[in-house]
Amino acid sequence: MTVPTALMDIFVWAPSFAMFASFETCTGGGIIMNRQPKVCTSDYAKGMGRMFVSVQSLLTGVIYLLTAVISWTVFAESRDSSIARKNAVAMADTMTHVTRR
């Protein structure tokens, strides 16, 4: 479950938040029923907030991806050691049955 979340955060949400980050606020200049000219002012708080959300999404995706890799590694080690233990028991049983005859 962490892999799809990580991929969505890294490749969808972080770029979309960064794409719509704007450092200015505009008023007026609408398409319908607005005759006022479009006036834009710098708004660094809005832009920095959106960039922060983009970086946060990217870092969260990387953390989720790292968690998925670590979890998969632990699972694979557990599975492999279980298989090796079963094979060792089977070989030991085979050797004891061969030497008794």
Side-chain angles (χ1 to χ4, degrees):
M1 190 67 192
T2 56
V3 172
T5 303
L7 295 177
M8 287 294 288
D9 280 353
I10 293 170
F11 294 113
V12 175
W13 293 118
S16 67
F17 288 141
M19 185 171 56
F20 292 112
S22 174
F23 286 89
E24 58 184 22
T25 301
C26 298
T27 58
I31 296 173
I32 300 174
M33 304 280 296
N34 195 350
R35 296 173 188 227
Q36 297 175 355
K38 185 175 185 177
V39 177
C40 296
T41 57
S42 295
D43 188 3
Y44 293 109
K46 182 174 107 177
M48 291 306 293
R50 290 185 180 178
M51 291 305 289
F52 175 76
V53 171
S54 177
V55 170
Q56 178 186 8
S57 179
L58 181 66
L59 291 178
T60 303
V62 169
I63 289 170
Y64 281 159
L65 193 58
L66 180 65
T67 303
V69 168
I70 291 171
S71 298
W72 181 258
T73 303
V74 169
F75 167 73
E77 283 180 7
S78 173
R79 180 191 61 199
D80 294 345
S81 67
S82 173
I83 291 171
R85 192 177 322 114
K86 287 178 186 176
N87 288 342
V89 168
M91 288 299 290
D93 287 344
T94 302
M95 296 303 286
T96 56
H97 289 300
V98 170
T99 56
R100 289 185 187 171
R101 289 184 182 178

